[in-house]
Amino acid sequence: MLSGDLALYIALGFTAQLIDGALGMAYSLIATSALLALGTPPAFASASVHAAETVTTGLAGASHAWHRNIDWSVVGRLAPAGVIGGIIGAHVLTELPEGMVRIFVTFYLMAMTLSIVRCLLTGRTGNREILATVPIGLGSGFLDAIGGGGWGPLANSALIARGDRPRHSIGSVGLSEFFVTVAISATFVATLDPPNTGASWSG
């Protein structure tokens, strides 16, 4: 028999992934927002979501590679930059005061949600100047770790806005996300200390 907490987290993960599968994004935004609403500290919310995403992003990346949706030249620059940005963001998140981080993450998630809704309603990613792949990866990885999600919407919208083909952009970003997620998760495991923070990995 499942406990109430475990059943809640299973339902949360299922619902978030169901929506993510339909839209191609938003798993981390939904899951992180829900964990914060349940009182989870921001660092542990981001760490938990990224740990769960190591499986989903790995499967998604493998699927994109199988269907030849990957621009390997983009992955070769985007993934390492995203890993570096994600590691820095994870370190920053664990060092900042929880109250300050919670406020920032809340507004960040609201902004990302509005951005996704706008894209769905208008079909446009917004007007952005042409950006190099490395800065896109650094910025997206950093904000993904800090905010508990957003790699897909940030990186995809920037690449598509600069003229990349949507199919290859989504595939390249999806595969790169696996490496970024693993790096962020490993950083949280190495830096977070549950007994000292009063939080528990078991929920």
Side-chain angles (χ1 to χ4, degrees), residues 67-146:
H67 290 93
R68 299 180 180 180
N69 294 335
I70 307 296
D71 184 335
W72 293 103
S73 64
V74 171
V75 173
R77 298 189 298 274
L78 187 67
V83 166
I84 294 172
I87 290 174
I88 295 173
H91 275 291
V92 170
L93 183 60
T94 57
E95 296 297 327
L96 291 177
E98 181 181 326
M100 180 190 303
V101 172
R102 188 177 291 274
I103 293 173
F104 171 81
V105 171
T106 298
F107 281 101
Y108 169 79
L109 292 172
M110 290 174 59
M112 289 305 305
T113 301
L114 292 175
S115 177
I116 292 173
V117 171
R118 179 180 179 277
C119 289
L120 292 174
L121 294 178
T122 65
R124 300 199 309 265
T125 57
N127 296 319
R128 301 188 183 200
E129 60 183 8
I130 295 178
L131 297 173
T133 305
V134 170
I136 291 174
L138 286 170
S140 299
F142 180 83
L143 290 173
D144 185 80
I146 288 282

